[in-house]
Amino acid sequence: MAAINLVVFVALTIFSSARGNSDGDALSALRRSLSDPDKVLLSWDPNLVNPCTWFHVTCNQDNRVTRLDLGNSNLSGHLVPELGKLEHLQYLELYKNNIQGAIPTELGNLKSLISLDLYNNISGKIPPSLGNLKSLVFFDVSNNNLCGTIPTTGSFEHIPLNNFENNPRLEGPELQGLATYDTNCS
């Protein structure tokens, strides 16, 4: 009986470590895509299985990443599609950095996401996939260089228009069937 308990314990430990690694892998991919002159990501050691010990990362009781707080951290670079693998992420706070490039479509996979705070950063269009995030209640992309049309359907129905302001190439709000989604993005 003790041998069976030991096998079950080892199997659960391996399963838990493998699962935890997916969150660590996603955050490591983000780390590699960013320049960090102030060394706020210094504790992000990719050799650690569990990213819950890293600064600016919050996890739940199952050691799954639920919050990433990197606002006003003097980071530059781009977001990575691997962020869409953070299944339990609820808060993604990356405001006031110098993150360039598009918002990855894969962020639309973050079914638990409550808050996406990207103001003062990025360029490109807002992926339509973000409209499918039923839990999203806060979304701020003001003061960027976004283009296209302000979405108004799905999770965007209750997002105030001022959370999109100061994006000179962003038009809208989107009119169903009347405005193309990628207007002004060439």
Side-chain angles (χ1 to χ4, degrees):
M1 186 56 125
I4 291 173
N5 287 342
L6 180 61
V7 169
V8 170
F9 174 76
V10 170
L12 287 174
T13 302
I14 291 170
F15 173 75
S16 178
S17 295
R19 188 188 70 212
N21 249 349
S22 66
D23 286 0
D25 290 346
L27 293 180
S28 291
L30 176 64
R31 172 65 188 100
R32 288 188 302 273
S33 75
L34 297 174
S35 174
D36 178 22
D38 295 343
K39 302 198 184 318
V40 297
L41 304 177
L42 190 61
S43 70
W44 288 31
D45 183 350
N47 296 316
L48 297 176
V49 172
N50 185 344
C52 299
T53 61
W54 300 352
F55 292 137
H56 311 289
V57 175
T58 304
C59 296
N60 63 16
Q61 66 275 9
D62 297 323
N63 289 327
R64 301 303 305 268
V65 174
T66 58
R67 187 176 188 113
L68 190 55
D69 287 303
L70 291 169
N72 202 20
S73 296
N74 197 26
L75 301 171
S76 60
H78 64 276
L79 300 180
V80 293
E82 289 87 348
L83 288 174
K85 295 178 182 175
L86 297 171
E87 298 173 357
H88 296 273
L89 190 67
Q90 297 174 336
Y91 299 90
L92 182 54
E93 311 295 329
L94 292 165
Y95 57 88
K96 287 189 176 179
N97 282 294
N98 191 26
I99 297 171
Q100 299 297 312
I103 301 170
T105 301
E106 291 81 0
L107 294 188
N109 297 333
L110 300 174
K111 302 303 180 199
S112 300
L113 196 64
I114 295 169
S115 174
L116 181 56
D117 207 347
L118 299 173
Y119 72 88
N120 285 4
N121 276 299
I122 55 183
S123 58
K125 61 182 179 179
I126 300 168
S129 62
L130 297 182
N132 300 326
L133 299 176
K134 295 181 181 7
S135 59
L136 189 66
V137 293
F138 184 81
F139 181 80
D140 191 345
V141 291
S142 60
N143 300 298
N144 286 303
N145 190 24
L146 296 174
C147 60
T149 310
I150 297 172
T152 58
T153 58
S155 60
F156 294 110
E157 287 179 5
H158 304 291
I159 303 295
L161 287 178
N162 63 341
N163 289 13
F164 299 92
E165 68 187 7
N166 297 322
N167 284 288
R169 300 184 315 135
L170 193 60
E171 300 172 353
E174 182 176 56
L175 302 173
Q176 286 299 90
L178 299 177
T180 57
Y181 194 81
D182 59 359
T183 303
N184 205 18
C185 277
S186 52

